[in-house]
Amino acid sequence: VGSQIASVTAASSGTAPYCSAGHSCDRIQITHSTSGGGSYTISRGFNGYSNNERATISFQGPGIVQFSRFSTEMSYDYVAVDGTINWGTDLPGDISVGDGPIVIEWYTDLSFTDEGWVLTYTYTGGFGDVTYDLPSGTALPSTALHMVAFSELASGESTSGCASISVTDYAPPDTYRNQFGFRMPILLKATLVVQSQSCRT
């Protein structure tokens, strides 16, 4: 096993959900999934809500919205996901949202209330391509045939996201003799490109 060549920070292109407007933002709970990745639970709770609540939750698509609990005053109190209004006691079906800014609107009127709602939003986009200029003088073993990329979260290695990597050499490499007598190429100017991709099972 070879040594680590570089550590590249690759932020997801999706913006984590947050309450961006409305006087009821303090009543909206948003938690990141303990499994990591781009899954979030967004909830007004299920112990009853109040009249005249307003909240706008913003995030970045593409992704899927899945309700696990839902009960609001029919025709008056609603959760609108990307313009699709949901109210009543029937559990809404899964909602796919496209790429770009997405909002969830929470609205209640001035009379009658119900239990509330809980949903999960899962971001399905990738982090895109990340380009990283390797420091001048980075050495790669001349016999190396493969490079390995690991996706790591603050909590440890992530197995839900995968990546491929490639190195583009923009300048002819030089060589030096290491302490064991092997000749090692030194990349005078190289770029490491990290690309998101689907995981193979």
Side-chain angles (χ1 to χ4, degrees):
V1 178
S3 59
Q4 177 175 310
I5 296 173
S7 176
V8 181
T9 301
S12 169
S13 59
T15 302
Y18 66 100
C19 196
S20 58
H23 59 264
S24 303
C25 275
D26 60 336
R27 301 178 183 181
I28 302 297
Q29 299 175 348
I30 302 175
T31 56
H32 192 197
S33 171
T34 55
S35 62
S39 184
Y40 300 84
T41 298
I42 306 172
S43 172
R44 176 54 187 89
F46 212 70
N47 295 316
Y49 55 82
S50 302
N51 290 317
N52 195 34
E53 291 194 2
R54 305 284 188 277
T56 299
I57 299 102
S58 301
F59 53 92
Q60 188 83 6
I64 299 175
V65 174
Q66 298 171 298
F67 285 91
S68 57
R69 305 189 74 175
F70 194 84
S71 186
T72 69
E73 183 190 7
M74 183 69 179
S75 302
Y76 294 100
D77 301 343
Y78 63 81
V79 180
V81 180
D82 197 26
T84 300
I85 292 178
N86 303 276
W87 50 33
T89 56
D90 292 336
L91 193 67
D94 295 353
I95 302 172
S96 296
V97 296
D99 193 11
I102 306 296
V103 296
I104 293 176
E105 297 283 352
W106 168 231
Y107 172 93
T108 70
D109 71 350
L110 298 176
S111 63
F112 301 105
T113 61
D114 216 306
E115 293 178 291
W117 50 271
V118 180
L119 66 84
T120 298
Y121 172 67
T122 303
Y123 177 72
T124 58
F127 55 70
D129 295 351
V130 177
T131 299
Y132 176 79
D133 289 328
L134 292 169
S136 178
T138 299
L140 297 177
S142 59
T143 57
L145 299 177
H146 303 284
M147 302 180 74
V148 179
F150 293 94
S151 298
E152 187 175 29
L153 304 171
S155 57
E157 183 181 352
S158 170
T159 57
S160 61
C162 296
S164 64
I165 57 176
S166 61
V167 174
T168 302
D169 190 2
Y170 287 106
D174 197 357
T175 61
Y176 77 98
R177 191 176 299 275
N178 67 8
Q179 60 180 329
F180 301 107
F182 297 108
R183 299 202 65 81
M184 307 280 285
I186 302 174
L187 301 181
L188 302 182
K189 169 110 174 95
T191 297
L192 184 70
V193 179
V194 184
Q195 298 175 305
S196 63
Q197 64 183 35
S198 299
C199 295
R200 291 179 294 179
T201 57

